[in-house]
Amino acid sequence: MNNTYKHASLTWKRVRSRDSPWFTNEIKTKTDERDYYLRKARKSGKEIDWSTYRRLRKDVTRSIRQSKANYTRQIFRENINTPRKFWNQIKKCFPTKGSRDAGSKVFNVDGKPTSNVIEVANGFCKFFTSIGKRLQDVLPKLTDIAWMHHDHSNFKRKLNPRNCTFKFQKVSSKEIKDVMKKLNRKKAQGYDEIPTSFIKDGADILAEPLTTLINRCLKNSLFPSAEKCAKITPIYKSEERSLLDNYRPISILAVLSKVFERVVHRQLYAYLEENNLLSKNQFGFRTKLSTQHAVTKFSDSIRQNMDNGLMTGAIFIDLRKAFDTVDHARLLSKLTIYGIRNDELMWFEDYLFNRTQFVAFEGVESSVQPIFCDVPQDSILGPLLFVLLVNDIDIHLKRCEIVFYADDTVIYRADRTCERIEEHFNNDMEQISNWFVQNNLVINLKRSKTECVLYGTHKKLPNQDQWK
């Protein structure tokens, strides 16, 4: 009788664990010793062997934790000046559970649940283009009248006392080539599907015609209409996945628009810095200033106040969709105060108006819809224009100090009692609240967004019930 044997083919697969560079040779030696005494204790059953094993196990655990912490700190120090690498290291060291894209594909569009990708894409586009206007609608209608009767001459005396005037300068092909060479080739391509690498690598050939185009546009106060369209990708943030409000719009502009904007940004920023037109308390989007400088100034004030026996009260203000709610008329009127007038002002007006966007979702593109307010996200000029919009906030403070990084603001005041601090806050916050309303900016009153904090020594701090 013949027996037939069927042999199953074996497939070997190498399984690798995550890299552990913090696992040193010293720790490896300790783990080997720990494992040796574990085997010995199991074999002998003696309490002395088990006691030795437990002591070695604690020592290994402590060494691993310490080595891992030292490695993590060293990695963060090495990448502290490169934000992208810094956050990538945070994700590696502290991975989150689950996938950001996991979850329901049903969305609430115009009050109705739908999973149709075309309807969802159009719903996102409509929501993102109208969110700024909807937030502005919650503000009192009298703000427009109040702004019309606002004392702009007083603003001008305080913000631009020397009456400086900004003028565009003709750019050279060498400058344009330099801008193109410095483009980040990793940036995604816009709606025109022109890769950044194509513009960057072709700078020697494209610089001359692009220089002619840019100079003509600056002379005629025009920004190319073809460069005003943004491609939007919705990214989930938190909470209920079916609500459109829980998604962040990531905007991608055409690469040629960034070349154009960089030229204008260089001239405008140089003008503002040379004439000291930016507030000393503004740390956002400025050369040689960062969040570290803002935090250092704020924390040093707290420490100095504590050394003098004072408490420091601080109000951290968060704005709802700050860049989306920028009113173009308000912004343009502010630009005139800083000396941006005539043809230059007409250029910025053309840059801001008649912009459009569409949403790309699940491989489907929505219809193109117009944008009525905001400064363009993913733009070079947008952040600087927002800084100019909020640059005058500190002149409205009479008793408190302020530090702000673009839309992130902290107002603080030191005194010996929390009652006095509260009194100072009440006087200045009324003025600041009116300023936000006049500029069509909405304070985010959600929990953990806008908060009040009291700093001081343990002996000076009041009970929790006394400070609200």
Side-chain angles (χ1 to χ4, degrees), residues 429-444:
M429 281 307 296
E430 182 178 356
Q431 298 295 323
I432 294 300
S433 298
N434 291 335
W435 181 91
F436 280 121
V437 171
Q438 288 179 354
N439 287 274
N440 279 347
L441 297 172
V442 182
I443 298 178
N444 192 344

Side-chain angles (χ1 to χ4, degrees), residues 25-263:
N25 291 331
E26 181 183 355
I27 295 177
K28 179 66 168 59
T29 302
K30 289 183 177 181
T31 57
D32 290 341
E33 186 179 7
R34 176 202 63 188
D35 294 343
Y36 167 77
Y37 275 94
L38 175 60
R39 293 191 298 269
K40 184 178 180 180
R42 285 174 175 172
K43 186 175 181 179
S44 67
K46 295 180 180 179
E47 179 58 30
I48 188 173
D49 291 335
W50 281 112
S51 178
T52 304
Y53 160 70
R54 286 192 289 266
R55 176 177 56 80
L56 293 173
R57 183 181 61 184
K58 289 181 180 180
D59 185 37
V60 168
T61 301
R62 182 170 55 252
S63 298
I64 289 176
R65 287 176 178 172
Q66 184 176 357
S67 179
K68 193 172 183 179
N70 291 338
Y71 171 77
T72 302
R73 281 193 290 267
Q74 180 62 29
I75 289 295
F76 288 163
R77 290 194 195 101
E78 292 174 356
N79 296 284
I80 195 168
N81 295 319
T82 51
R84 184 184 296 275
K85 292 183 179 179
F86 183 83
W87 286 109
N88 286 338
Q89 289 299 330
I90 288 182
K91 292 176 183 178
K92 287 181 180 179
C93 295
F94 308 103
T96 56
K97 295 181 179 180
S99 171
R100 293 177 65 88
D101 299 322
S104 173
K105 297 296 182 181
V106 178
F107 292 85
N108 190 347
V109 178
D110 294 331
K112 298 178 180 179
T114 180
S115 58
N116 184 293
V117 289
I118 298 178
E119 293 179 358
V120 173
N122 283 307
F124 268 122
C125 192
K126 180 181 178 181
F127 178 81
F128 290 146
T129 53
S130 63
I131 189 169
K133 205 66 179 175
R134 284 189 285 106
L135 286 174
Q136 288 182 356
D137 288 342
V138 305
L139 299 171
K141 298 299 180 183
L142 294 176
T143 56
D144 290 334
I145 300 176
W147 183 256
M148 289 172 59
H149 294 87
H150 193 76
D151 187 3
H152 295 281
S153 59
N154 184 40
F155 262 12
K156 185 177 177 180
R157 285 193 299 270
K158 292 182 177 181
L159 299 174
N160 188 6
R162 294 186 290 129
N163 196 25
C164 302
T165 302
F166 173 72
K167 292 291 183 182
F168 282 131
Q169 304 297 321
K170 189 174 181 179
V171 293
S172 64
S173 59
K174 183 178 181 299
E175 182 181 354
I176 299 299
K177 187 186 299 184
D178 178 64
V179 172
M180 297 170 74
K181 291 285 189 181
K182 291 182 179 179
L183 290 171
N184 185 355
R185 64 175 68 249
K186 293 182 180 180
K187 289 290 185 179
Q189 58 194 32
Y191 82 97
D192 55 7
E193 298 185 354
I194 297 178
T196 305
S197 57
F198 176 81
I199 303 298
K200 185 181 178 76
D201 296 338
D204 294 333
I205 299 174
L206 298 173
E208 192 68 37
L210 197 55
T211 301
T212 303
L213 174 64
I214 290 176
N215 281 323
R216 286 184 179 179
C217 288
L218 293 178
K219 182 179 179 181
N220 295 294
S221 303
L222 295 173
F223 186 82
S225 299
E227 307 303 317
K228 292 184 180 181
C229 184
K231 177 182 177 182
I232 306 294
T233 302
I235 301 296
Y236 170 72
K237 294 186 296 183
S238 60
E239 299 182 12
E240 180 58 49
R241 290 180 178 271
S242 63
L243 299 180
L244 305 185
D245 195 29
N246 293 332
Y247 289 77
R248 178 183 291 108
I250 302 300
S251 176
I252 303 173
L253 295 174
V255 62
L256 287 176
S257 71
K258 295 181 180 181
V259 176
F260 202 141
E261 289 185 47
R262 179 60 69 186
V263 171

